[in-house]
């Protein structure tokens, strides 16, 4: 067996920071995944971890679900990727088209691409350039949306702040920032800038912050009043909160939506979904006209990812599936909150049962600026103490899967209690 420490050293040489992205385990806690099964990850030394990272969300069924493995193996024998329309891609698009806002679907290979092209097609349809997003909202890593996601010292609205080096300064002039859950300010900004806006993009459930009552409904009315397309980023919430996503769960229907993660069952695939009146701009028959939006990708709608998505969504359609997911998440949330109360820790458990997190602050988490009051060092230590005890989670999320059993929940809650007791003593 390859030595784990040797692999970590090799990773440090050939991968920037030794990582695949931004997820860090912490000094002395790094490990290399050997395999994932159900609700667990196993490292190269054979250690088992309870997994609440879930590949950053897509593994809603858990790892190596038999139905997904079988579907992928059967498709492998027929080929993997053709760059031509194929039956699994058509069938998956038909399912996505059942989402409330959708009539047609356009595939991409990642969530970042999906939000990028959702905004591009909105510009083509609206014939405007600027977009509005919400402070703290994450829509991928392209230039237009990597703005004011994690500003340490936020500017006055609607001024944006780039979150990465390498973003042209000129882009800042094309992005307006609004405060999530502040309908009055958001409406005022839309009323003031509507004639410049191509679209408003939002995570209807922003990271782990639920929308305030009436906020999404008011945003929908404000955008409709001025004919500005509303884009829901459902990369996280799509097929996780309900089969019809957050728009079904919160009963607010946008003009366009971007889906990823769950829709491909753990494979690289995402999509834009919306009405024909907007999606027609992708039609290659318009090539050579001012209305045409050029979009293609080698792996868009590849048969393997589509087959995995079909198998995943078939499992999600089984009676009682979402009830079970929400019951599992609700038990974890309630148990975490009980441990917070028991140990007298100033902290908030924020979010919906399928995905939530802990913020070490006594302030209610209603928007991004409220999260800035949280103790960043303490959440880092919380995450690291969990990992020492065999629980993996994202930096800012606890993802719940259908593979997590009652036994897993009980084990996790015992570890939550132990870690919070440790933090309370320090």
């Amino acid at each position: 067996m390859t030595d784990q420490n040797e692999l970590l050293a090799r990773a440090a040489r050939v991968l920037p920071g030794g990582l695949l992205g931004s997820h860090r385990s912490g000094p002395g806690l790094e490990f290399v995944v050997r395999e994932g099964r159900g609700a667990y990850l196993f490292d190269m030394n054979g250690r088992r971890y309870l997994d609440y990272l879930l590949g950053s969300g897509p593994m809603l069924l858990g790892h190596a679900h038999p139905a997904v493995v079988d579907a992928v193996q059967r498709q492998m024998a027929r080929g993997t990727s053709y760059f031509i329309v194929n039956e699994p891609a058509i069938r998956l698009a038909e399912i996505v088209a059942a989402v409330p806002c959708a009539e047609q679907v356009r595939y991409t290979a990642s969530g970042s691409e999906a939000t990028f092209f959702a905004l591009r097609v909105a510009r083509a349809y609206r014939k405007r350039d600027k977009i509005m997003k919400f402070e703290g909202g994450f829509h991928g890593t392209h230039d237009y949306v990597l703005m004011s996601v994690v500003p340490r010292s936020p500017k006055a609205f609607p001024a944006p702040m780039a979150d990465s080096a390498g973003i042209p300064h000129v882009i800042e002039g094309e992005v307006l920032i609004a405060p999530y859950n502040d309908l009055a300010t958001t409406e005022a900004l839309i009323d003031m800038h509507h004639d410049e806006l191509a679209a408003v993009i939002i995570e209807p459930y922003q990271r782990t912050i639920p929308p305030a009552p009436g906020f999404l409904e008011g945003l929908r009315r404000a955008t409709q009043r001025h004919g500005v397309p509303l884009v829901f980023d459902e990369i996280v919430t799509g097929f996780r909160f309900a089969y019809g996503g957050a728009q079904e769960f919160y009963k607010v229907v946008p003009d366009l939506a971007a889906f990823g993660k769950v829709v491909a069952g753990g494979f690289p695939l995402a999509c834009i979904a919306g009405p024909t009146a907007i999606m027609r701009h992708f039609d290659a028959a318009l090539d050579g006209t001012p209305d045409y939006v050029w979009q293609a990708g080698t792996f868009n709608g590849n048969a393997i990812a589509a087959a995995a998505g079909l198998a995943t969504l078939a499992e999600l359609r089984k009676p009682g599936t979402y009830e079970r997911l929400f019951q599992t998440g609700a038990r974890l949330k309630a148990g975490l909150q009980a441990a917070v109360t028991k140990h007298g820790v100033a902290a908030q458990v924020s979010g919906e049962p399928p995905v939530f997190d802990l913020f070490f602050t006594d302030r209610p988490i209603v928007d991004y600026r409220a999260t800035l009051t949280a103790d960043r060092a303490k959440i880092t230590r919380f995450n690291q103490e969990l990992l020492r005890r065999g629980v993996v989670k994202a930096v800012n999320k606890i993802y719940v899967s259908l593979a997590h059993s009652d036994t897993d929940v009980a084990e996790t809650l015992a570890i939550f209690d132990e870690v919070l007791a440790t933090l309370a003593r320090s």
Side-chain angles (χ1 to χ4, degrees):
M1 180 182 293
T2 305
D3 179 77
Q4 182 160 270
N5 291 331
E6 178 196 343
L7 279 173
L8 288 168
R10 287 161 59 184
R13 288 194 296 271
V14 297
L15 302 172
L19 306 173
L20 298 180
S22 60
H23 181 81
R24 297 179 178 87
S25 298
L29 296 171
E30 300 89 350
F31 65 97
V32 176
V33 175
R34 185 190 73 201
E35 63 181 304
R37 290 203 304 271
Y40 313 119
L41 294 177
F42 297 85
D43 69 15
M44 297 300 294
N45 294 332
R47 185 185 182 189
R48 190 208 75 172
Y49 299 82
L50 271 164
D51 185 17
Y52 294 97
L53 176 60
L54 300 180
S56 191
M59 312 313 300
L60 183 58
L61 303 184
H63 297 281
H65 190 281
V68 177
V69 172
D70 180 62
V72 169
Q73 287 177 335
R74 283 187 283 109
Q75 180 56 47
M76 284 285 288
R78 304 184 184 105
T80 58
S81 194
Y82 317 119
F83 199 62
I84 296 175
V85 69
N86 56 84
E87 184 189 8
I90 295 169
R91 290 171 56 209
L92 184 59
E94 288 173 336
I95 291 173
V96 176
V99 169
C101 78
E103 292 176 351
Q104 292 188 325
V105 172
R106 187 72 168 197
Y107 287 115
T108 66
S110 72
S112 288
E113 287 179 87
T115 60
F116 176 87
F117 281 108
L119 294 177
R120 178 176 286 182
V121 77
R123 288 191 191 93
Y125 173 77
R126 173 77 170 147
K127 300 189 179 356
R128 302 289 193 278
D129 290 341
K130 291 188 179 181
I131 65 124
M132 177 182 286
K133 70 175 293 286
F134 289 81
E135 186 176 74
F138 179 68
H139 306 292
T141 54
H142 53 94
D143 292 352
Y144 285 92
V145 295
L146 202 55
M147 296 278 185
S148 297
V149 179
V150 288
R152 300 294 175 87
S153 300
K155 294 181 181 179
F157 299 110
M161 297 179 68
D163 291 292
S164 172
I167 296 177
H169 293 298
V170 68
I171 299 293
E172 294 181 17
E174 302 301 320
V175 181
L176 303 175
I177 304 299
Y180 184 77
N181 272 339
D182 182 343
L183 182 58
T185 301
T186 298
E187 282 187 308
L189 289 172
I190 292 172
D191 288 343
M192 183 181 301
H193 297 280
H194 67 90
D195 199 44
E196 305 171 276
L197 285 174
V200 174
I201 187 169
I202 187 171
E203 291 179 285
Y205 169 75
Q206 185 172 285
R207 318 311 291 140
T208 54
I209 308 174
F215 175 68
L216 293 178
E217 293 87 346
L219 176 63
R220 175 70 283 191
R221 288 193 300 270
T223 52
Q224 284 180 326
R225 183 163 62 245
H226 296 295
V228 177
L230 177 61
V231 182
F232 273 11
D233 177 346
E234 294 231 41
I235 303 299
V236 169
T237 56
F239 299 97
R240 185 187 308 278
F241 279 24
Y243 199 74
Q247 53 196 274
E248 176 187 322
F249 186 73
Y250 294 121
K251 297 179 172 56
V252 176
V253 180
D255 297 291
L256 289 168
F259 293 92
K261 297 190 186 293
V262 174
V263 76
F267 284 79
L269 180 142
C271 66
I272 309 119
T276 303
I278 298 178
M279 299 297 286
R280 61 175 286 273
H281 289 277
F282 289 123
D283 188 343
L286 295 175
D287 191 6
T289 74
D291 287 336
Y292 181 51
V293 172
W294 195 94
Q295 187 268 343
T298 301
F299 299 107
N300 292 358
N302 74 86
I304 294 295
L310 286 167
T312 297
L313 299 186
E315 292 297 311
L316 295 179
R317 285 196 299 274
K318 292 181 177 179
T321 297
Y322 285 98
E323 289 83 355
R324 182 158 52 90
L325 176 66
F326 273 75
Q327 287 168 4
T328 301
R331 281 189 61 203
L332 284 164
K333 269 192 70 183
L336 180 56
Q337 183 61 62
V340 165
T341 303
K342 172 183 174 182
H343 297 291
V345 178
Q348 310 289 322
V349 181
S350 175
E352 305 283 9
V355 53
F356 58 92
D357 206 7
L358 187 65
F359 292 87
F360 288 94
T361 177
D362 57 6
R363 180 173 169 179
I365 303 299
V366 296
D367 59 16
Y368 172 75
R369 297 191 184 193
T371 71
L372 292 177
T373 68
D375 189 326
R376 295 169 62 89
K378 192 163 284 188
I379 189 61
T380 297
R381 188 177 172 203
F382 176 75
N383 292 343
Q384 291 176 352
E385 292 295 333
L386 289 178
L387 187 55
R388 285 190 176 92
R389 292 162 176 81
V391 173
V392 180
K393 67 179 283 290
V395 172
N396 56 3
K397 285 190 183 76
I398 295 170
Y399 282 107
V400 180
S401 84
L402 289 158
H404 288 112
S405 67
D406 289 344
T407 301
D408 295 329
V409 170
E411 180 182 344
T412 304
L413 292 180
I415 292 171
F416 282 163
D417 184 77
E418 182 179 329
V419 169
L420 287 166
T422 299
L423 294 183
R425 289 193 298 268
S426 61

